[in-house]
Amino acid sequence: MEQLFFYIFSIVAIVSAILVVSVRNPVHSALYLIICFLQVAAMFVLLRSPFLAAVQVFIYVGAVMVLFLFAVMVLDLGKERLKDSMHSQSILGGALAIVLFFIAFYLVYNGDIVAPLGAYTETALMKNTEVIGAALYTKYIYPFEVVSLILLVALVGAITLVMRHKDN
Amino acid sequence: MPTITHYLALSLILFTIGLAGVLIRRNIIIVLMSLELIFNSVNISLAAFSYFLQSINGVVFVIFSITVAAAEVAIGLALLVTVYRTRRAVNVDELNEMKG
């Protein structure tokens, strides 16, 4: 049953990801990207992390995609023709991506896990948010503070970049 | 039950699609969207490792990764709006001022 859902979600995710990079209208790209993000959230549910799925829906589908749609609206991008959508190094780039795919596929297919298993079994992960919160506020408190600083800098930076100066 | 190889294969396919989008497309906004695809594929593989190794570290790292990705999108789109205002260009091959 879980396998069936995995295949459904992954096929939808892959098809919508291909559509994101291949359709010509940026608004359609953004909408297909929303579908792909929702499938990734479903993957997090299959991986027994409902907290991550909620964060994915809130931040990616809620905030990031609204930003993208705003940018498309502000920039007034129309449809582009097919020969406009690629540049002179596109063929080389596509070939490199395919080569990387086969190398990494070989590694994934032949790899083996040798690390020891940790303490968080499926029953311990039932209280998912509690477990993550406890780890985040004890063991990972220093990275947590650094990330909050990154968010502050990004906020100030984004406002400073877009602000128009009236004096000149 | 899907094994870790299934999740890693899905992550790899999404990563390759995103990488191809970054390398092939001309429009900067599509390039940024493909970058988000790459972030998501990496998040899937981190969460999969976390689940199959029965550890919480991967999940915590995914939270940090999502936060940094949100900051990156805000800065990237602000840069894009600034570049569009000054140059009226949104294609990556037209922005070649720094070419040596």
Side-chain angles (χ1 to χ4, degrees), chain A residues 37 40 44 47 52 56 60, chain B residues 7-8 10-16 18-19 34-50 58-59 61-63 65-66 69:
Chain A
F37 284 165
V40 175
F44 288 149
L47 287 168
L52 272 189
Q56 169 90 6
Y60 272 113
Chain B
Y7 287 102
L8 289 182
L10 170 70
S11 164
L12 172 62
I13 292 170
L14 286 182
F15 188 92
T16 313
L19 183 72
S34 308
L35 214 58
E36 293 305 306
L37 269 181
I38 293 180
F39 268 111
N40 267 281
S41 77
V42 173
N43 287 350
I44 289 178
S45 77
L46 279 172
F49 275 120
S50 179
V59 174
F61 203 87
V62 171
I63 293 173
S65 153
I66 288 178

Side-chain angles (χ1 to χ4, degrees), chain B:
Chain B
M1 281 289 288
T3 60
I4 188 165
T5 312
H6 288 83
Y7 287 102
L8 289 182
L10 170 70
S11 164
L12 172 62
I13 292 170
L14 286 182
F15 188 92
T16 313
I17 294 170
L19 183 72
V22 169
L23 290 177
I24 288 176
R25 293 299 299 255
R26 265 179 99 204
N27 196 328
I28 294 189
I29 205 152
I30 309 279
V31 169
L32 280 174
M33 285 182 197
S34 308
L35 214 58
E36 293 305 306
L37 269 181
I38 293 180
F39 268 111
N40 267 281
S41 77
V42 173
N43 287 350
I44 289 178
S45 77
L46 279 172
F49 275 120
S50 179
Y51 173 60
F52 286 102
L53 291 177
Q54 300 181 353
S55 150
I56 203 76
N57 299 356
V59 174
V60 174
F61 203 87
V62 171
I63 293 173
F64 291 143
S65 153
I66 288 178
T67 322
V68 174
E72 172 259 332
V73 163
I75 294 285
L77 289 176
L79 280 173
L80 182 55
V81 169
T82 317
V83 165
Y84 184 71
R85 264 188 204 153
T86 52
R87 300 283 314 275
R88 294 277 147 192
V90 286
N91 291 330
V92 286
D93 51 348
E94 289 167 17
L95 306 171
N96 51 7
E97 303 282 283
M98 290 175 75
K99 207 172 182 176

Side-chain angles (χ1 to χ4, degrees), chain A residues 75-109:
Chain A
L75 297 186
D76 187 28
L77 303 169
K79 277 189 195 168
E80 51 188 14
R81 292 188 298 275
L82 182 64
K83 72 179 175 61
D84 288 348
S85 70
M86 295 181 171
H87 52 77
S88 55
Q89 295 165 356
S90 287
I91 295 168
L92 183 63
L96 276 177
I98 290 170
V99 168
L100 180 88
F101 175 78
F102 282 112
I103 293 172
F105 189 81
Y106 174 80
L107 291 176
V108 165
Y109 198 73

